[in-house]
Amino acid sequence: LHNEIERCIQQSGIDWTFLRPGMLASNAVGWWASLIRSGDVVRWPYLSAPTAPIDNRDIASVALHALVKTGHAGKDYVLTGPQSLTQLEQLLTIGQVVGREVRVEEISPEETMQEWAATWPPSVVSMLLKSWHAAIGQPAYVTQRVEEITGTPARTFFEWARDHAEAFRI
């Protein structure tokens, strides 16, 4: 779907810039906030899978620069947060920020498919599971594009979690 849309944009004759953010830090709210608030166990697959979560504000900052500054036409930018963190490290960071232990249990891909079937399209769950499985044992891909484009380093996951702590508090 994205390839077809991008091809149409590229052939349109207008200037374009593609932003390709990796894992969004804000996914943590949708995935984990209600469980953390309620004190329930966060049941999650592939806890050792690393990602480099990016703050939405950093994506917006890059978008602003691409829109108002010259030199970005015809470029595509892979955007990530500044550090590779496992999903477990992200959960523990949230716990640190809210000042309490986050209980975590790793579940199998099969359990994930069953538990998420009611709320997620199977193709999305499958894509996430394959991606996380493939990432085990290696650091997440990290770019410095946010800082290169904006002149300001990308926010860390800790900074994002601190700024959004209320979403995870009781």
Side-chain angles (χ1 to χ4, degrees):
L1 175 65
H2 293 141
N3 288 338
E4 180 62 22
I5 292 169
E6 288 180 4
R7 188 183 60 72
C8 290
I9 292 169
Q10 289 169 328
Q11 294 175 350
S12 71
I14 61 171
D15 286 343
W16 55 268
T17 305
F18 296 133
L19 305 184
R20 302 181 191 285
M23 189 63 68
L24 304 176
S26 61
N27 285 343
V29 173
W31 290 344
W32 303 324
S34 66
L35 295 169
I36 293 171
R37 276 194 313 271
S38 69
D40 288 341
V41 173
V42 176
R43 294 173 41 82
W44 203 254
Y46 296 116
L47 290 171
S48 63
T51 65
I54 185 165
D55 191 311
N56 293 13
R57 297 170 295 184
D58 291 326
I59 300 166
S61 183
V62 170
L64 177 64
H65 278 77
L67 286 169
V68 301
K69 308 265 184 191
T70 60
H72 299 286
K75 305 265 176 87
D76 62 54
Y77 298 122
V78 175
L79 306 175
T80 70
Q83 61 196 146
S84 174
L85 295 170
T86 67
Q87 297 187 102
L88 179 59
E89 289 170 325
Q90 293 168 46
L91 283 158
L92 296 177
T93 297
I94 293 167
Q96 178 185 2
V97 165
V98 299
R100 63 186 180 86
E101 180 184 356
V102 173
R103 297 180 312 139
V104 182
E105 176 186 328
E106 186 161 25
I107 60 174
S108 71
E110 296 76 25
E111 289 173 293
T112 305
M113 289 296 283
Q114 290 173 353
E115 290 184 16
W116 295 4
T119 54
W120 292 71
S123 61
V124 172
V125 177
S126 179
M127 180 272 304
L128 286 170
L129 290 172
K130 286 177 185 175
S131 174
W132 292 332
H133 175 75
I136 300 291
Q138 55 194 342
Y141 180 67
V142 174
T143 71
Q144 302 303 314
R145 285 287 187 213
V146 171
E147 185 170 9
E148 291 167 2
I149 294 168
T150 68
T152 302
R155 291 170 181 87
T156 66
F157 187 76
F158 178 86
E159 292 169 317
W160 176 89
R162 182 196 60 215
D163 294 347
H164 295 85
E166 288 308 311
F168 301 95
R169 286 203 173 99
I170 297 174

